[in-house]
């Protein structure tokens, strides 16, 4: 006898954004980047070219780091999440009116996704690069909000009852056969 597992497929995609300019995490990263010395390549011999290189690198490395921030869960933030359950239409979660601060918008977006996932009894998450980016990014950002909520005493955030990070990837579950009697 084969036991059939009925799962809902939830296709998910996240979009990330830069941190706000006044973010404490970005301020610490910017200070560290600014404190690192810039050295010209060893093949530069002319003092003017060395000075120009150092000035150019010093000016652009903060911008370069800020451009890469959306890929770093310690700096970037979840901007919005799109999902579809089975063959249903695509739904989006996010603060599209910019009514909230970025950190509050991210928290509410992640809470809304948690509510969606709680409403589906058995599911399998499917995402492009889900195990490599989406799941770890959302998990890290959710932990940021969980830590902040615990400090503030916010009862809406709690440790997840079931982990979903391992279910990203879209591979169907293996059916288990029970021995014939």
């Amino acid at each position: 006898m084969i036991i059939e597992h009925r799962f809902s497929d939830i296709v998910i995609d996240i979009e990330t954004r830069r941190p706000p300019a006044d973010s404490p995490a970005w301020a610490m990263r910017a200070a560290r980047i600014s404190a690192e010395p810039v050295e010209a390549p060893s093949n530069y011999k002319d003092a003017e070219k060395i000075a120009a290189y150092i000035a150019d690198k010093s000016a652009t490395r903060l911008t370069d780091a800020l451009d890469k921030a959306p890929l770093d869960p310690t700096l970037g933030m979840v901007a919005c999440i799109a999902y579809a359950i089975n063959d249903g239409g695509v739904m989006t979660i996010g603060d599209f009116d910019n009514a909230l601060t970025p950190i509050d918008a991210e928290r509410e977006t992640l809470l809304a996704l948690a509510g969606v996932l709680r409403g589906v009894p058995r599911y399998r998450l499917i995402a492009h690069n889900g195990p490599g980016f989406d799941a770890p990014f959302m998990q890290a950002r959710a932990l940021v909000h969980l830590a902040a909520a615990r400090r503030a005493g916010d009862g809406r955030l709690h440790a997840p009852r079931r982990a979903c990070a391992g279910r990203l990837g879209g591979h169907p579950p293996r059916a288990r056969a029970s021995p014939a009697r």
Side-chain angles (χ1 to χ4, degrees):
M1 175 178 165
I2 295 179
I3 299 172
E4 230 177 274
H5 295 283
R6 299 275 180 192
F7 285 87
S8 294
D9 289 332
I10 302 176
V11 179
I12 190 169
D13 186 34
I14 68 170
E15 294 301 322
T16 60
R17 58 165 284 176
R18 294 176 169 187
D22 61 349
S23 162
W26 173 245
M28 288 190 306
R29 179 75 56 95
R32 193 178 75 219
I33 291 170
S34 297
E36 293 172 357
V38 176
E39 295 181 11
S42 60
N43 63 336
Y44 280 43
K45 303 298 179 197
D46 184 14
E48 287 181 22
K49 288 184 179 181
I50 291 172
Y53 178 88
I54 291 173
D56 181 51
K57 276 296 181 190
S58 297
T60 60
R61 65 183 172 172
L62 280 178
T63 306
D64 293 345
L66 191 58
D67 288 343
K68 293 176 186 175
L71 301 176
D72 180 354
T74 62
L75 289 177
M77 303 174 77
V78 174
C80 66
I81 301 171
Y83 69 93
I85 300 174
N86 293 325
D87 292 329
V90 176
M91 304 296 291
T92 55
I93 305 170
D95 180 30
F96 300 107
D97 300 331
N98 294 323
L100 301 170
T101 65
I103 195 80
D104 290 340
E106 180 185 50
R107 181 184 62 244
E108 294 303 318
T109 299
L110 291 170
L111 282 171
L113 177 65
V116 168
L117 296 178
R118 267 190 234 108
V120 180
R122 297 175 61 92
Y123 59 87
R124 148 180 77 180
L125 292 177
I126 302 168
H128 175 74
N129 198 17
F133 180 74
D134 293 6
F137 195 97
M138 287 189 296
Q139 183 178 26
R141 296 307 302 165
L143 288 174
V144 167
H145 292 287
L146 180 62
R150 285 191 174 158
R151 283 193 304 270
D154 187 347
R156 294 182 309 152
L157 299 178
H158 53 80
R161 286 182 282 178
R162 58 182 175 172
C164 64
R167 289 198 251 181
L168 281 167
H171 300 291
R174 294 183 184 165
R176 295 185 183 161
S178 61
R181 294 186 186 228

